[in-house]
Amino acid sequence: MQTMAATSTTSASSSPSLFAIWRRHVALCSSPSPPPTSSFSSPNRCPVAGAGAPVLPLGIRGGHLLLPSPLLPAARKTVATAAAAASPPADSSDGGGKAESAGISRTVQLGAMILVWYLLNIYFNIYNKLVLKAVPFPYTITTFQFASGSFFITLMWLLNLHPKPRLSLGQYAKIIPLALVHMMGNVFTNMSLGKVAVSFTHTIKAMEPFFSVLLSVLFLGETPSLLVLASLMPIVGGVVLASMTEVSFNWIGFWSAMASNLTNQSRNVFSKKLLADKEETLDDINLFSIMTVMSFLLSAPLMLSVEGIKFSPSYLQSTGVNLQELCVKAALAGTCFHFYQQVSYSLLARVSPVTHSVANCVKRVVVIVSSVLFFRTPISPINALGTGVALAGVFLYSSK
């Protein structure tokens, strides 16, 4: 004990400066504070923690420990981070519920678009067939349909419902051949619908994949796979079987439908080639719109040269046709003609090409069945079998 006391006494005596500093600090904190002479507190006084309680030195520079205030920005950020860490994790079911709700909404929207697409197709084919039976002038009817489409396209651009195309003369020159085959494809379709049943025309038009593959090989250099070639066999066989047993078979109607397949698929192949050009600034909607307007300008002189002005009121009254009823049906057919194609392009922008092809295959089935029921078209079991085999081949081709 004496040794330890001696050691303590020796240590205290060997450090007089540190001991003196500590006593001076205690004396300063215990003495009453003089009135302040300025708005700033003296740096020699002890900081006050509250109620005049002294604060001992903490061994850091300046002898003060500045605690962050909750009112300072940095402190608020620290407090918020700590509160977030301490709070329970948010329920992730809300995000999953929103994603599921968005998925359901998108499915309902696509289903509604497909339903509208099918209904417009059904009404177009029915009204178009009724008009062609009353006035068998396919060039005149085609021109009227392109005029209806041009009217709606002009409204679309004037009301800024879709951006207007800005093309050079060279780009317009590239679209003219597409417009020509587009116009001829619709003329041939109307020629076929005027000669044979709607169901038979669409059975023949089920051969579109055959012409698509053929033209892609010839002009795009694409090589079809064995699966694609295998799917073409039931298409061709089914169309041949249906043609052999068709009650309303007519060679003009048959070859017109085949020519429609050739021209429409030529348009699709060349459109694909045009849209693949990186220098062209065209979307599908504007390309279709420009082709429609050009097709109207090309079909008008062709109509006048081939059929003349046959849609005049005097001529129609001489044939005993109800002029008002005919004009209403023609207007409805032209409106449905334009908007079913517009909905088709809008749907293609929202789904994959395979999904669109499958929906188009189902659409053809719906149109055939509805036309058979509406016009009471007689069909034999072999004819129905051929149509079914051809449509099954189209489904296989679309699902490749």
Side-chain angles (χ1 to χ4, degrees):
M1 290 292 291
Q2 292 177 354
T3 305
M4 293 177 63
T7 305
S8 300
T9 305
T10 305
S11 300
S13 61
S14 63
S15 304
S17 59
L18 181 60
F19 182 73
I21 291 173
W22 179 78
R23 290 190 61 184
R24 187 182 303 114
H25 184 80
V26 172
L28 287 172
C29 293
S30 301
S31 62
S33 301
T37 58
S38 66
S39 60
F40 299 95
S41 55
S42 173
N44 297 323
R45 304 297 299 172
C46 290
V48 179
V55 178
L56 297 179
L58 300 175
I60 61 173
R61 177 174 293 183
H64 308 288
L65 178 62
L66 299 177
L67 297 177
S69 169
L71 301 178
L72 297 177
R76 285 199 300 268
K77 183 176 180 181
T78 305
V79 172
T81 304
S87 61
D91 189 6
S92 60
S93 61
D94 293 341
K98 291 181 180 179
E100 183 179 356
S101 177
I104 294 175
S105 176
R106 182 177 183 275
T107 302
V108 172
Q109 181 184 12
L110 293 177
M113 291 180 67
I114 292 175
L115 179 61
V116 171
W117 184 29
Y118 288 1
L119 289 175
L120 290 173
N121 261 274
I122 292 172
Y123 282 109
F124 164 70
N125 282 277
I126 290 175
Y127 285 125
N128 199 37
K129 178 65 176 180
L130 293 174
V131 172
L132 286 168
K133 287 175 68 176
V135 282
F137 305 126
Y139 291 93
T140 302
I141 300 302
T142 302
T143 302
F144 186 84
Q145 291 169 355
F146 283 133
S148 300
S150 300
F151 170 75
F152 290 115
I153 289 168
T154 303
L155 282 181
M156 178 185 71
W157 285 336
L158 289 177
L159 298 177
N160 293 322
L161 299 178
H162 192 79
K164 303 179 184 69
R166 300 182 182 276
L167 305 178
S168 63
L169 292 177
Q171 290 173 315
Y172 281 113
K174 291 181 180 180
I175 301 176
I176 290 178
L178 296 177
L180 180 61
V181 295
H182 179 59
M183 182 265 296
M184 292 305 302
N186 285 276
V187 168
F188 287 134
T189 298
N190 285 331
M191 289 176 65
S192 178
L193 288 172
K195 295 294 183 179
V196 298
V198 175
S199 57
F200 184 54
T201 297
H202 281 276
T203 300
I204 300 172
K205 288 177 71 66
M207 283 192 66
E208 285 182 348
F210 173 82
F211 289 96
S212 178
V213 172
L214 178 63
L215 294 172
S216 296
V217 171
L218 294 177
F219 294 100
L220 299 180
E222 297 179 356
T223 303
S225 63
L226 293 177
L227 183 60
V228 170
L229 294 177
S231 67
L232 296 179
M233 295 177 62
I235 296 176
V236 177
V239 170
V240 171
L241 187 62
S243 302
M244 292 173 60
T245 57
E246 174 61 34
V247 177
S248 65
F249 182 84
N250 180 282
W251 282 110
I252 297 178
F254 175 81
W255 287 115
S256 297
M258 295 293 283
S260 172
N261 287 335
L262 179 62
T263 52
N264 286 336
Q265 293 309 306
S266 298
R267 176 202 62 197
N268 292 343
V269 170
F270 291 136
S271 298
K272 180 179 178 181
K273 191 173 183 180
L274 180 66
L275 291 172
D277 191 350
K278 297 185 182 300
E279 297 181 358
E280 309 297 338
T281 55
L282 269 178
D283 56 17
D284 291 341
I285 297 294
N286 276 334
L287 179 59
F288 164 72
S289 301
I290 294 173
M291 284 195 303
T292 299
V293 175
M294 286 186 173
S295 296
F296 166 66
L297 298 176
L298 292 172
S299 63
L302 184 63
M303 173 201 71
L304 295 175
S305 62
V306 175
E307 296 176 349
I309 304 178
K310 298 291 182 65
F311 216 67
S312 62
S314 59
Y315 176 84
L316 295 175
Q317 287 179 356
S318 64
T319 58
V321 177
N322 187 325
L323 180 59
Q324 182 178 1
E325 182 180 352
L326 181 65
C327 289
V328 170
K329 291 177 181 178
L332 289 173
T335 302
C336 293
F337 169 76
H338 172 74
F339 282 105
Y340 94 73
Q341 296 185 74
Q342 196 84 342
V343 172
S344 176
Y345 276 100
S346 299
L347 185 64
L348 183 60
R350 290 170 170 80
V351 299
S352 66
V354 174
T355 302
H356 189 273
S357 297
V358 173
N360 189 54
C361 176
V362 177
K363 179 211 72 177
R364 199 174 298 282
V365 176
V366 172
V367 169
I368 290 175
V369 172
S370 61
S371 65
V372 168
L373 295 176
F374 182 85
F375 294 107
R376 301 181 184 276
T377 306
I379 55 173
S380 63
I382 298 179
N383 183 273
L385 177 62
T387 302
V389 170
L391 294 174
V394 174
F395 180 80
L396 292 175
Y397 175 84
S398 302
S399 304
K400 65 184 185 297

